[in-house]
C-alpha cells in the first residue's frame, strides 16, 4: 500500500503516507487554496439564499497561467483565433460557471487538508507512517484536488504534453525545477492508483 492507493472493502480507498508525504500534500493543497482565493463571505442574516446562485462571476480568463489551466475557456484558447461570437459565448459561460467551479475546487482542497490534519502518523518499527482511509466521497474530492495540483504544477513548469514531463525528469538534481517535476510525477502516480482503486 505504501505510495499508492488500494481499494477498501465496501468502497473508498486507502494509502500509506509518511510524515514527509503528508507534509508535502498538505502544503500543496494549502497553496492551491491560496491560488484559488477565498470564497465570498456569507451575506447578512436573512439575505436571499438565491442571490449567491445568480451572482455573476468574471467574464475574462485569469491572467495567471496556472489559474487559466484550472479555469479554462469554454470555447478553446482565447489567444488561438477565437471569433468575436466565440469570445462572447465563452465570456457568458464563464460569468455563470466560474464562481461555482472555484467553490467546488476550494471545497475539495479543504477536504484534503482536513483529512490530512486528522491523520495521526505513528511510528512502526522506525517507519513513521499512517494509513489514510477515504470514503467514496472523499476519494472524489481527492481526485479533483490531485488533478488540480498536477494542472497547476504543469502550468508552472510549462508542461503541455507528457513528453515535456519526461524531458524535465532528466534535469540535473541542482535545477530549481527538479522538486516540482518530482512532485508532478508523484501526484500523477497517486491520481492513477486512486482511479484504479475506485474502478477495481
Amino acid at each position: 500500500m505504501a505510495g499508492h492507493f488500494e481499494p477498501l472493502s465496501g468502497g473508498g480507498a486507502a494509502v500509506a503516507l509518511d510524515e514527509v508525504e503528508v507534509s508535502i500534500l498538505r502544503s500543496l493543497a494549502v497553496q492551491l487554496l491560496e491560488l484559488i482565493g477565498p470564497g465570498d463571505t456569507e451575506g447578512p442574516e436573512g439575505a436571499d439564499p438565491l442571490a449567491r446562485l445568480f451572482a455573476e462571476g468574471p467574464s475574462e480568463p485569469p491572467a495567471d497561467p496556472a489559474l487559466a489551466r484550472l479555469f479554462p475557456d469554454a470555447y478553446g484558447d482565447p489567444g488561438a483565433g477565437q471569433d468575436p461570437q466565440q469570445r462572447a459565448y465563452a465570456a457568458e459561460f464563464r460569468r455563470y460557471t466560474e464562481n461555482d467551479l472555484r467553490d467546488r475546487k476550494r471545497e475539495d482542497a479543504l477536504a484534503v487538508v482536513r483529512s490530512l490534519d486528522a491523520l495521526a502518523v505513528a511510528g512502526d518499527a522506525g517507519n513513521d507512517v499512517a494509513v489514510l482511509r477515504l470514503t467514496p466521497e472523499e476519494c472524489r474530492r481527492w481526485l479533483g484536488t490531485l488533478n488540480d495540483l498536477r494542472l497547476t504544477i504543469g502550468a508552472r513548469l510549462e508542461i503541455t504534453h507528457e513528453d515535456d514531463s519526461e524531458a524535465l525528469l532528466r534535469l540535473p538534481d541542482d535545477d530549481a525545477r527538479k522538486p516540482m517535476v518530482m512532485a508532478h510525477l508523484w501526484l500523477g502516480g497517486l491520481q492513477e492508483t486512486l482511479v484504479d482503486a475506485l474502478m477495481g
Side-chain angles (χ1 to χ4, degrees):
M1 181 184 299
H4 63 274
F5 281 95
E6 292 184 1
L8 289 174
S9 60
V15 63
L17 299 169
D18 64 30
E19 286 182 294
V20 172
E21 292 168 329
V22 169
S23 176
I24 291 170
L25 282 167
R26 189 185 189 287
S27 175
L28 290 172
V30 168
Q31 290 177 58
L32 179 62
L33 284 166
E34 291 171 355
L35 179 67
I36 293 170
D40 291 341
T41 57
E42 291 185 23
E45 190 173 338
D48 181 358
L50 294 177
R52 175 74 177 110
L53 180 63
F54 295 105
E56 292 187 12
S59 59
E60 294 298 320
D64 183 319
L67 283 173
R69 188 82 60 96
L70 291 176
F71 305 104
D73 205 66
Y75 293 90
D77 183 357
Q82 277 184 339
D83 66 43
Q85 190 66 48
Q86 283 180 315
R87 282 197 297 275
Y89 289 152
E92 190 74 2
F93 184 82
R94 182 179 297 279
R95 183 176 296 120
Y96 292 107
T97 60
E98 186 170 313
N99 282 345
D100 287 341
L101 186 55
R102 279 182 184 265
D103 286 346
R104 195 199 76 216
K105 290 179 182 297
R106 190 180 300 108
E107 288 166 9
D108 289 351
L110 277 170
V112 168
V113 171
R114 288 178 183 135
S115 62
L116 292 169
D117 285 348
L119 189 63
V121 179
D124 177 22
N127 297 320
D128 292 331
V129 297
V131 176
L132 177 69
R133 291 176 176 82
L134 302 175
T135 65
E137 174 61 18
E138 289 171 328
C139 287
R140 185 198 65 74
R141 292 185 178 279
W142 268 75
L143 275 175
T145 296
L146 289 171
N147 188 60
D148 289 345
L149 289 171
R150 291 192 72 234
L151 288 173
T152 301
I153 293 172
R156 296 290 185 239
L157 292 170
E158 299 179 355
I159 294 173
T160 55
H161 301 94
E162 201 57 40
D163 292 346
D164 297 337
S165 181
E166 292 174 12
L168 287 169
L169 188 57
R170 295 189 288 274
L171 290 171
D173 290 341
D174 59 355
D175 191 296
R177 296 170 294 170
K178 190 69 177 256
M180 285 205 319
V181 172
M182 300 309 293
H184 186 264
L185 294 171
W186 176 56
L187 292 167
L190 284 175
Q191 185 180 12
E192 184 177 345
T193 61
L194 182 49
V195 169
D196 290 345
L198 293 175
M199 294 180 67

